[in-house]
Amino acid sequence: MSDHQKRDAEEAFVREAVRRVLDGDVEAFAVIVNTFRNLVAADLARRLPPSDVQEVAQDAFVRAYRALPAFRGDAPVRIWLLRIARHAAMDFWRKTYRRRERLLDDLDDGAAVRLEAAHQEQVARQQADDDALQTARERLNAALTRLSPDDRAVLTLVELEERSMQEAAQTLGCGLSAVKVRAFRARKRLKTILMAIESRKEDKT
């Protein structure tokens, strides 16, 4: 089974769990948690201190459960859940900042300076990660603009929006085999363009 087939099977599996939860089977939410626990933890691990990942992940699933009645199904469940997890991570940092401000008010000058320095170091690391991600996004966007409209359309659906091949075929109005071939060729062309962009970057340095 290909990765896309596995993803399609996973999506069908969790959507059935969503339906069961909305029909009153509360225990079916465990299917969603078990399916995406590692995915959410891995995503949060890139955004939070290791000691806080589990707590924020639990908060994210609680939020997801409460938000489930509003789930429209426009995006795959995994994408919807990751958005909720990332909002939970942002709220974590907002709360941390407020606690830090209150704590600084209660510390002597020396301790406050040391705590502020440690915080700034953490912020710098987070900023470096964000800068690297932004750079990668900019390169991807630059590469996408050099593709043909057909290539951009299929990659946007399959890679960026993580639609199934069947969904992409329906959206693009072509057969399943045709969209698989188009996606394969578009990925190769995108890779070639990205390599050229990276090569020019290295030449400039």
Side-chain angles (χ1 to χ4, degrees), residues 89-105 115-116 119-120 123:
M90 287 189 289
D91 287 343
F92 165 86
W93 285 115
R94 291 189 189 101
K95 292 176 183 176
T96 299
Y97 182 79
R98 288 196 294 269
R99 287 197 300 267
R100 184 181 66 86
E101 290 298 305
R102 290 195 297 268
L103 180 60
L104 285 174
D105 290 340
L115 184 61
E116 178 65 18
H119 172 70
Q120 291 301 328
V123 170

Side-chain angles (χ1 to χ4, degrees), residues 93-204:
W93 285 115
R94 291 189 189 101
K95 292 176 183 176
T96 299
Y97 182 79
R98 288 196 294 269
R99 287 197 300 267
R100 184 181 66 86
E101 290 298 305
R102 290 195 297 268
L103 180 60
L104 285 174
D105 290 340
D106 296 332
L107 294 175
D108 60 51
D109 291 343
V113 168
R114 289 192 296 273
L115 184 61
E116 178 65 18
H119 172 70
Q120 291 301 328
E121 183 179 352
Q122 174 67 36
V123 170
R125 287 198 298 268
Q126 183 67 37
Q127 184 62 52
D129 290 343
D130 291 344
D131 289 345
L133 180 60
Q134 181 61 31
T135 298
R137 286 173 176 166
E138 289 173 356
R139 290 179 186 169
L140 176 60
N141 288 335
L144 286 172
T145 60
R146 301 182 189 184
L147 290 173
S148 69
D150 286 345
D151 284 348
R152 280 201 305 274
V154 70
L155 287 180
T156 297
L157 289 169
V158 174
E159 300 297 341
L160 302 183
E161 297 181 7
E162 298 188 339
R163 304 284 188 92
S164 69
M165 287 292 183
Q166 186 64 51
E167 289 175 318
Q170 292 173 353
T171 301
L172 297 172
C174 62
L176 183 58
S177 297
V179 82
K180 288 180 179 179
V181 171
R182 287 173 59 178
F184 174 77
R185 292 175 177 171
R187 287 191 195 102
K188 289 185 65 176
R189 284 190 278 266
L190 179 64
K191 182 178 179 180
T192 299
I193 294 171
L194 285 170
M195 290 174 64
I197 292 174
E198 183 64 23
S199 177
R200 282 195 292 272
K201 175 179 176 294
E202 291 176 356
D203 290 341
K204 290 180 182 179

Side-chain angles (χ1 to χ4, degrees), residues 31-52:
V31 172
I32 301 172
V33 175
N34 292 334
T35 301
F36 295 120
R37 180 188 289 115
N38 292 338
L39 174 71
V40 168
D43 188 78
L44 291 176
R46 297 194 294 268
R47 306 170 189 279
L48 303 171
S51 59
D52 296 297

Side-chain angles (χ1 to χ4, degrees), residues 75-90:
V77 176
R78 66 193 305 273
I79 301 300
W80 173 78
L81 186 56
L82 284 175
R83 289 173 185 160
I84 292 176
R86 290 165 188 172
H87 281 295
M90 287 189 289

